[in-house]
Amino acid sequence: LRALGDARLITPLRSAGGHRRYSRYQLRIAARARELVDGGTPIEAACRIVILEDQLEEAQRLNAEYRRAADSTNVARDS
């Protein structure tokens, strides 16, 4: 986790006592990066891949949302 923080893939919050606190999302991202690194991918490349995968997932989610909105507009207009 510290190496991923050093690579600026994830930035943990800090508790009042200075302990690192990671969200579930950050842990999921870290686990994916670890899979890539364990498979022989350099950490910098693994971080870039994880970022791109995350961006793709968000773009697909938004695209599906826009399509649903457009479909509901078309259905209402056709009625």
Side-chain angles (χ1 to χ4, degrees):
L1 290 174
R2 287 182 187 171
L4 295 175
D6 291 344
R8 298 181 189 223
L9 179 63
I10 56 175
T11 304
L13 296 175
R14 296 283 182 158
S15 69
H19 298 282
R20 290 175 182 84
R21 302 277 181 168
Y22 297 95
S23 69
R24 289 183 181 169
Y25 169 77
Q26 289 175 317
L27 293 174
R28 190 172 64 246
I29 293 290
R32 177 63 181 134
R34 177 67 190 254
E35 287 175 15
L36 291 167
V37 170
D38 286 350
T41 304
I43 193 164
E44 297 82 14
C47 290
R48 184 69 181 139
I49 290 167
V50 169
I51 289 167
L52 290 171
E53 287 175 343
D54 192 53
Q55 289 173 343
L56 175 61
E57 184 179 319
E58 177 66 9
Q60 289 172 331
R61 185 191 66 75
L62 288 172
N63 191 24
E65 194 174 301
Y66 293 145
R67 283 185 180 171
R68 281 191 299 273
D71 289 346
S72 66
T73 301
N74 290 336
V75 168
R77 194 176 332 152
D78 293 340
S79 298

XYZ file of all heavy atoms in Angstrom:
620
model
N 0.821 -1.195 0.000
C 0.000 0.000 0.000
C 0.864 1.257 0.000
O 0.525 2.231 -0.659
C -0.935 -0.010 1.203
C -2.062 -1.038 1.173
C -2.824 -1.047 2.501
C -3.010 -0.795 0.033
N 1.948 1.201 0.731
C 2.826 2.385 0.756
C 3.439 2.653 -0.613
O 3.563 3.802 -1.030
C 3.920 2.218 1.798
C 3.419 2.345 3.198
C 4.534 2.232 4.202
N 3.974 2.187 5.538
C 4.667 1.928 6.622
N 5.962 1.673 6.527
N 4.095 1.908 7.793
N 3.827 1.579 -1.317
C 4.414 1.747 -2.652
C 3.395 2.368 -3.605
O 3.751 3.210 -4.432
C 4.898 0.410 -3.193
N 2.136 1.976 -3.476
C 1.089 2.562 -4.326
C 0.844 4.014 -3.946
O 0.523 4.835 -4.797
C -0.193 1.750 -4.220
C -0.097 0.318 -4.757
C -1.392 -0.428 -4.500
C 0.259 0.311 -6.226
N 1.000 4.326 -2.681
C 0.912 5.719 -2.243
C 2.077 6.528 -2.793
O 1.889 7.657 -3.250
N 3.270 5.933 -2.760
C 4.447 6.611 -3.319
C 4.284 6.836 -4.818
O 4.748 7.845 -5.354
C 5.711 5.797 -3.054
C 6.094 5.757 -1.578
O 5.576 6.593 -0.798
O 6.900 4.875 -1.201
N 3.624 5.890 -5.494
C 3.380 6.019 -6.926
C 2.176 6.924 -7.202
O 1.822 7.156 -8.341
C 3.144 4.642 -7.540
N 1.540 7.403 -6.143
C 0.394 8.320 -6.198
C -0.858 7.718 -6.837
O -1.673 8.435 -7.402
C 0.776 9.623 -6.883
C 1.845 10.337 -6.108
C 2.232 11.623 -6.742
N 3.404 12.117 -6.037
C 3.564 13.356 -5.689
N 2.671 14.246 -5.971
N 4.652 13.728 -5.062
N -0.976 6.397 -6.721
C -2.197 5.752 -7.190
C -3.305 5.946 -6.170
O -4.437 6.224 -6.529
C -1.966 4.255 -7.441
C -3.188 3.481 -7.917
C -3.662 4.012 -9.266
C -2.879 1.995 -8.010
N -2.959 5.813 -4.896
C -3.924 6.024 -3.817
C -3.294 6.919 -2.759
O -2.095 6.879 -2.542
C -4.387 4.693 -3.184
C -3.209 3.866 -2.688
C -5.240 3.893 -4.153
C -3.600 2.595 -1.956
N -4.116 7.731 -2.139
C -3.657 8.605 -1.061
C -4.558 8.358 0.143
O -5.733 8.727 0.122
C -3.731 10.087 -1.471
O -2.969 10.265 -2.663
C -3.197 10.994 -0.375
N -4.019 7.708 1.168
C -4.862 7.396 2.321
C -5.160 8.629 3.161
O -4.399 9.601 3.165
C -4.012 6.409 3.115
C -2.605 6.782 2.781
C -2.654 7.238 1.338
N -6.278 8.571 3.827
C -6.566 9.579 4.850
C -5.762 9.204 6.082
O -5.275 8.085 6.191
C -8.062 9.594 5.165
C -8.972 9.997 4.005
C -10.429 9.851 4.422
C -8.691 11.414 3.573
N -5.644 10.120 7.003
C -4.897 9.836 8.236
C -5.815 9.985 9.441
O -6.647 10.893 9.499
C -3.723 10.812 8.397
C -2.661 10.716 7.337
C -1.786 9.529 7.570
N -0.732 9.455 6.573
C 0.387 8.806 6.756
N 0.615 8.188 7.887
N 1.279 8.752 5.807
N -5.650 9.064 10.379
C -6.406 9.162 11.629
C -5.756 10.225 12.503
O -4.669 10.727 12.191
C -6.405 7.815 12.352
O -5.099 7.522 12.836
N -6.412 10.558 13.597
C -5.849 11.553 14.521
C -4.485 11.102 15.037
O -3.607 11.923 15.306
C -6.812 11.786 15.677
N -4.295 9.795 15.139
C -3.023 9.259 15.604
C -1.991 9.086 14.507
O -0.885 8.616 14.750
N -2.339 9.453 13.262
C -1.390 9.383 12.156
C -1.424 8.080 11.378
O -0.623 7.884 10.473
N -2.344 7.186 11.713
C -2.429 5.912 10.995
C -3.103 6.112 9.642
O -4.013 6.920 9.504
C -3.218 4.883 11.816
C -2.577 4.563 13.124
N -1.502 3.713 13.234
C -2.856 4.996 14.380
C -1.142 3.632 14.495
N -1.948 4.408 15.224
N -2.639 5.337 8.661
C -3.238 5.416 7.325
C -4.617 4.771 7.341
O -4.804 3.713 7.908
C -2.354 4.690 6.313
C -1.055 5.395 6.038
C -0.185 4.535 5.110
N 1.082 5.163 4.869
C 2.140 5.075 5.675
N 2.072 4.363 6.774
N 3.256 5.701 5.380
N -5.566 5.399 6.674
C -6.930 4.879 6.540
C -7.265 4.790 5.060
O -7.196 5.789 4.342
C -7.943 5.814 7.222
C -7.704 6.042 8.667
C -8.294 4.918 9.455
N -8.062 5.186 10.868
C -8.644 4.531 11.817
N -9.495 3.583 11.542
N -8.372 4.811 13.062
N -7.622 3.587 4.608
C -7.946 3.361 3.202
C -9.428 3.051 3.053
O -10.003 2.323 3.854
C -7.133 2.191 2.647
C -5.652 2.439 2.654
C -4.857 2.001 3.707
C -5.042 3.116 1.609
C -3.488 2.234 3.725
C -3.672 3.349 1.616
C -2.904 2.903 2.670
O -1.557 3.144 2.679
N -10.034 3.570 2.000
C -11.437 3.264 1.710
C -11.506 1.904 1.022
O -10.496 1.373 0.543
C -12.033 4.333 0.802
O -11.455 4.254 -0.496
N -12.706 1.362 0.939
C -12.879 0.089 0.223
C -12.508 0.241 -1.245
O -11.925 -0.647 -1.848
C -14.315 -0.402 0.365
C -14.600 -0.876 1.754
C -15.982 -1.418 1.877
N -16.157 -1.824 3.275
C -17.276 -2.142 3.813
N -18.390 -2.100 3.095
N -17.343 -2.506 5.067
N -12.851 1.372 -1.809
C -12.502 1.649 -3.198
C -10.977 1.627 -3.367
O -10.455 1.003 -4.296
C -13.074 3.002 -3.622
C -12.559 3.485 -4.945
C -13.042 2.952 -6.134
C -11.585 4.471 -5.024
C -12.569 3.383 -7.359
C -11.105 4.908 -6.236
C -11.599 4.361 -7.397
O -11.110 4.781 -8.608
N -10.252 2.287 -2.482
C -8.794 2.307 -2.559
C -8.211 0.913 -2.415
O -7.255 0.556 -3.105
C -8.213 3.233 -1.491
C -8.447 4.693 -1.764
C -7.969 5.567 -0.616
O -8.196 5.237 0.554
N -7.336 6.669 -0.950
N -8.788 0.117 -1.530
C -8.301 -1.251 -1.348
C -8.568 -2.104 -2.585
O -7.747 -2.945 -2.954
C -8.924 -1.876 -0.102
C -8.489 -1.232 1.219
C -9.273 -1.837 2.373
C -6.986 -1.386 1.433
N -9.700 -1.870 -3.246
C -10.012 -2.596 -4.474
C -9.011 -2.213 -5.575
O -8.504 -3.073 -6.295
C -11.447 -2.303 -4.906
C -11.938 -3.196 -6.016
C -13.408 -3.049 -6.327
N -13.731 -1.720 -6.828
C -14.491 -0.824 -6.204
N -15.029 -1.102 -5.032
N -14.724 0.349 -6.745
N -8.705 -0.939 -5.680
C -7.726 -0.452 -6.658
C -6.348 -1.059 -6.349
O -5.633 -1.502 -7.249
C -7.652 1.101 -6.610
C -8.956 1.711 -7.111
C -6.457 1.640 -7.373
C -9.209 1.549 -8.584
N -5.988 -1.076 -5.080
C -4.695 -1.627 -4.664
C -4.609 -3.117 -4.981
O -3.558 -3.606 -5.427
C -4.474 -1.385 -3.176
N -5.700 -3.833 -4.773
C -5.708 -5.272 -5.058
C -5.501 -5.527 -6.550
O -4.760 -6.444 -6.939
C -7.009 -5.896 -4.581
N -6.131 -4.717 -7.391
C -5.959 -4.870 -8.845
C -4.523 -4.563 -9.248
O -3.925 -5.291 -10.040
C -6.940 -3.954 -9.590
C -6.787 -3.980 -11.087
C -7.073 -5.351 -11.684
N -6.893 -5.299 -13.124
C -6.221 -6.198 -13.827
N -5.720 -7.266 -13.230
N -6.070 -6.067 -15.123
N -3.953 -3.517 -8.685
C -2.553 -3.176 -8.979
C -1.628 -4.306 -8.528
O -0.687 -4.668 -9.238
C -2.173 -1.862 -8.307
N -1.930 -4.890 -7.387
C -1.113 -5.995 -6.867
C -1.158 -7.196 -7.805
O -0.142 -7.846 -8.040
C -1.607 -6.374 -5.471
C -0.900 -7.546 -4.828
C 0.545 -7.186 -4.535
N 1.305 -8.331 -4.139
C 1.698 -8.552 -2.891
N 1.402 -7.715 -1.933
N 2.406 -9.613 -2.609
N -2.353 -7.495 -8.357
C -2.478 -8.595 -9.323
C -1.545 -8.364 -10.515
O -0.865 -9.290 -10.961
C -3.904 -8.687 -9.860
C -4.931 -9.218 -8.912
C -6.333 -9.141 -9.505
O -6.482 -8.949 -10.736
O -7.291 -9.266 -8.723
N -1.542 -7.143 -11.013
C -0.707 -6.816 -12.169
C 0.774 -6.924 -11.827
O 1.562 -7.486 -12.597
C -1.045 -5.417 -12.684
C -2.429 -5.277 -13.327
C -2.779 -3.803 -13.491
C -2.502 -6.014 -14.645
N 1.158 -6.392 -10.673
C 2.563 -6.434 -10.255
C 2.997 -7.880 -10.029
O 4.095 -8.283 -10.439
C 2.792 -5.562 -8.997
C 4.174 -5.793 -8.416
C 2.598 -4.089 -9.344
N 2.129 -8.668 -9.404
C 2.455 -10.087 -9.181
C 2.607 -10.834 -10.503
O 3.322 -11.826 -10.575
C 1.378 -10.762 -8.328
C 1.439 -10.352 -6.867
O 2.427 -9.691 -6.465
O 0.487 -10.680 -6.126
N 1.940 -10.343 -11.542
C 2.056 -10.948 -12.869
C 3.261 -10.466 -13.656
O 3.444 -10.835 -14.812
N 4.066 -9.596 -13.054
C 5.297 -9.148 -13.698
C 5.245 -7.749 -14.285
O 6.217 -7.290 -14.885
N 4.144 -7.044 -14.116
C 4.026 -5.683 -14.636
C 4.742 -4.720 -13.679
O 4.530 -4.788 -12.475
C 2.545 -5.281 -14.748
O 1.861 -6.242 -15.554
C 2.379 -3.901 -15.350
N 5.576 -3.837 -14.195
C 6.212 -2.838 -13.320
C 5.150 -1.981 -12.623
O 4.080 -1.719 -13.186
C 7.051 -1.990 -14.276
C 7.246 -2.846 -15.482
C 6.028 -3.710 -15.581
N 5.439 -1.535 -11.420
C 4.445 -0.819 -10.622
C 3.929 0.437 -11.315
O 2.728 0.731 -11.248
C 4.960 -0.511 -9.199
C 3.797 -0.057 -8.318
C 6.082 0.493 -9.215
C 4.078 -0.094 -6.845
N 4.800 1.174 -12.004
C 4.357 2.386 -12.693
C 3.347 2.043 -13.782
O 2.337 2.728 -13.941
C 5.548 3.141 -13.298
C 6.550 3.651 -12.284
C 7.549 2.574 -11.841
O 7.635 1.513 -12.499
O 8.223 2.794 -10.831
N 3.623 0.974 -14.528
C 2.704 0.544 -15.585
C 1.409 0.012 -14.981
O 0.319 0.282 -15.495
C 3.365 -0.524 -16.456
N 1.511 -0.717 -13.884
C 0.316 -1.250 -13.212
C -0.579 -0.100 -12.753
O -1.804 -0.165 -12.913
C 0.720 -2.127 -12.032
N 0.009 0.935 -12.209
C -0.768 2.098 -11.760
C -1.477 2.748 -12.940
O -2.658 3.099 -12.846
C 0.130 3.109 -11.052
S 0.736 2.539 -9.449
N -0.781 2.886 -14.055
C -1.394 3.504 -15.240
C -2.547 2.640 -15.762
O -3.596 3.155 -16.127
C -0.323 3.704 -16.323
C -0.834 4.422 -17.528
C -1.143 5.875 -17.207
N -1.654 6.518 -18.396
C -2.661 7.366 -18.406
N -3.247 7.706 -17.285
N -3.073 7.903 -19.517
N -2.346 1.333 -15.785
C -3.391 0.413 -16.245
C -4.613 0.525 -15.351
O -5.748 0.610 -15.841
C -2.861 -1.036 -16.292
C -1.854 -1.186 -17.421
C -4.008 -2.037 -16.430
C -1.044 -2.475 -17.377
N -4.404 0.539 -14.048
C -5.520 0.631 -13.103
C -6.273 1.944 -13.294
O -7.504 1.963 -13.284
C -5.021 0.469 -11.648
C -6.097 0.823 -10.656
C -4.545 -0.953 -11.418
N -5.560 3.024 -13.492
C -6.201 4.325 -13.718
C -7.037 4.280 -14.998
O -8.189 4.724 -15.020
C -5.150 5.452 -13.791
C -4.561 5.695 -12.394
C -5.737 6.737 -14.365
C -3.307 6.551 -12.398
N -6.478 3.723 -16.060
C -7.207 3.643 -17.330
C -8.427 2.728 -17.220
O -9.491 3.042 -17.761
C -6.278 3.169 -18.446
C -5.209 4.178 -18.862
C -4.203 3.528 -19.805
C -5.844 5.398 -19.501
N -8.289 1.614 -16.507
C -9.432 0.721 -16.299
C -10.537 1.441 -15.528
O -11.724 1.307 -15.853
C -9.010 -0.537 -15.539
C -8.198 -1.510 -16.345
C -7.686 -2.694 -15.545
O -7.675 -2.640 -14.295
O -7.286 -3.687 -16.173
N -10.152 2.203 -14.529
C -11.118 2.937 -13.724
C -11.822 4.006 -14.562
O -13.037 4.174 -14.483
C -10.422 3.560 -12.518
C -11.387 4.087 -11.489
O -12.269 3.323 -11.051
O -11.262 5.273 -11.122
N -11.067 4.707 -15.396
C -11.658 5.721 -16.277
C -12.606 5.085 -17.280
O -13.683 5.634 -17.564
C -10.557 6.500 -17.000
C -9.780 7.422 -16.103
C -8.598 8.056 -16.808
O -8.156 7.605 -17.868
N -8.065 9.119 -16.212
N -12.238 3.933 -17.826
C -13.097 3.232 -18.771
C -14.400 2.806 -18.103
O -15.486 3.000 -18.661
C -12.378 2.011 -19.351
C -13.209 1.115 -20.271
C -13.697 1.896 -21.486
C -12.404 -0.107 -20.679
N -14.301 2.258 -16.902
C -15.497 1.840 -16.172
C -16.434 3.019 -15.928
O -17.651 2.918 -16.103
C -15.098 1.202 -14.845
C -16.245 0.641 -14.051
C -15.773 0.001 -12.763
O -14.741 -0.691 -12.774
O -16.444 0.207 -11.728
N -15.876 4.162 -15.548
C -16.687 5.362 -15.303
C -17.324 5.856 -16.598
O -18.496 6.232 -16.617
C -15.834 6.463 -14.672
C -16.560 7.767 -14.438
C -17.680 7.692 -13.405
O -17.815 6.663 -12.722
O -18.435 8.674 -13.299
N -16.574 5.839 -17.687
C -17.120 6.274 -18.975
C -18.248 5.348 -19.425
O -19.276 5.815 -19.941
C -16.012 6.308 -20.030
N -18.085 4.056 -19.217
C -19.141 3.109 -19.583
C -20.390 3.323 -18.730
O -21.509 3.241 -19.233
C -18.639 1.676 -19.447
C -17.636 1.308 -20.522
C -16.986 -0.040 -20.301
O -16.829 -0.503 -19.174
N -16.590 -0.680 -21.395
N -20.197 3.613 -17.450
C -21.321 3.872 -16.563
C -22.085 5.117 -17.012
O -23.308 5.111 -17.113
C -20.842 4.037 -15.116
C -21.984 4.181 -14.104
C -21.476 4.601 -12.736
N -20.899 5.935 -12.733
C -21.606 7.073 -12.775
N -22.909 7.046 -12.844
N -21.000 8.247 -12.751
N -21.345 6.179 -17.315
C -21.977 7.418 -17.784
C -22.686 7.212 -19.118
O -23.796 7.714 -19.321
C -20.935 8.532 -17.913
C -20.406 9.108 -16.611
C -19.240 10.046 -16.882
C -21.504 9.817 -15.853
N -22.065 6.467 -20.012
C -22.664 6.197 -21.309
C -23.992 5.459 -21.136
O -24.986 5.808 -21.773
C -21.701 5.391 -22.175
C -22.140 5.307 -23.608
O -22.883 6.151 -24.087
N -21.664 4.283 -24.307
N -24.023 4.463 -20.280
C -25.255 3.717 -20.024
C -26.322 4.633 -19.419
O -27.497 4.556 -19.788
C -24.973 2.536 -19.099
N -25.897 5.518 -18.533
C -26.827 6.472 -17.915
C -27.416 7.414 -18.968
O -28.630 7.658 -18.988
C -26.071 7.264 -16.846
C -26.912 8.043 -15.896
C -26.054 8.668 -14.804
O -25.360 7.928 -14.080
O -26.069 9.911 -14.709
N -26.582 7.926 -19.864
C -27.048 8.817 -20.924
C -27.997 8.090 -21.879
O -28.992 8.650 -22.328
C -25.878 9.408 -21.707
C -25.016 10.355 -20.906
C -23.643 10.420 -21.122
C -25.552 11.185 -19.929
C -22.841 11.286 -20.396
C -24.756 12.049 -19.199
C -23.408 12.096 -19.432
O -22.613 12.946 -18.712
N -27.671 6.842 -22.178
C -28.546 6.063 -23.065
C -29.916 5.848 -22.429
O -30.935 5.948 -23.106
C -27.913 4.725 -23.397
C -26.831 4.828 -24.427
C -26.316 3.485 -24.832
N -25.269 3.654 -25.825
C -24.508 2.682 -26.250
N -24.667 1.452 -25.788
N -23.582 2.909 -27.143
N -29.938 5.521 -21.127
C -31.218 5.342 -20.433
C -32.031 6.634 -20.467
O -33.230 6.619 -20.719
C -30.998 4.884 -18.986
C -30.692 3.412 -18.849
C -30.747 2.969 -17.403
N -29.773 3.663 -16.558
C -28.516 3.278 -16.385
N -28.070 2.186 -16.995
N -27.704 3.956 -15.600
N -31.375 7.754 -20.240
C -32.064 9.048 -20.260
C -32.595 9.343 -21.660
O -33.727 9.800 -21.826
C -31.132 10.164 -19.790
N -31.809 9.074 -22.685
C -32.245 9.316 -24.059
C -33.387 8.386 -24.429
O -34.357 8.813 -25.077
C -31.069 9.114 -25.028
N -33.306 7.129 -24.010
C -34.387 6.176 -24.294
C -35.682 6.595 -23.628
O -36.745 6.525 -24.227
C -33.997 4.758 -23.844
C -32.919 4.142 -24.727
O -32.667 4.680 -25.833
O -32.344 3.117 -24.298
N -35.601 7.054 -22.393
C -36.831 7.464 -21.696
C -37.406 8.747 -22.320
O -38.611 8.914 -22.392
C -36.582 7.668 -20.197
O -35.712 8.754 -19.968
N -36.569 9.631 -22.825
C -37.022 10.827 -23.518
C -37.724 10.445 -24.832
O -38.783 10.984 -25.153
C -35.848 11.778 -23.802
O -35.242 12.134 -22.567
C -36.302 13.028 -24.528
N -37.129 9.491 -25.551
C -37.719 9.049 -26.818
C -39.055 8.344 -26.590
O -39.989 8.533 -27.366
C -36.758 8.141 -27.573
C -35.559 8.898 -28.111
O -35.621 10.105 -28.316
N -34.458 8.201 -28.330
N -39.157 7.556 -25.545
C -40.411 6.855 -25.238
C -41.501 7.868 -24.891
O -42.635 7.782 -25.351
C -40.212 5.839 -24.084
C -41.537 5.334 -23.572
C -39.333 4.692 -24.553
N -41.143 8.871 -24.093
C -42.119 9.890 -23.697
C -42.569 10.721 -24.912
O -43.721 11.083 -25.037
C -41.526 10.808 -22.639
N -41.662 10.996 -25.805
C -41.959 11.785 -26.996
C -42.842 10.995 -27.966
O -43.707 11.549 -28.626
C -40.652 12.169 -27.691
C -40.845 13.241 -28.728
C -39.552 13.706 -29.359
N -38.410 13.574 -28.485
C -37.170 13.397 -28.922
N -36.927 13.338 -30.207
N -36.157 13.290 -28.104
N -42.611 9.673 -28.063
C -43.375 8.821 -28.977
C -44.787 8.526 -28.469
O -45.634 8.107 -29.238
C -42.641 7.491 -29.227
C -41.344 7.701 -29.992
O -41.198 8.770 -30.645
O -40.471 6.816 -29.948
N -45.030 8.764 -27.205
C -46.359 8.445 -26.632
C -47.394 9.466 -26.966
O -47.296 10.527 -27.309
C -46.267 8.352 -25.121
O -45.408 7.314 -24.768
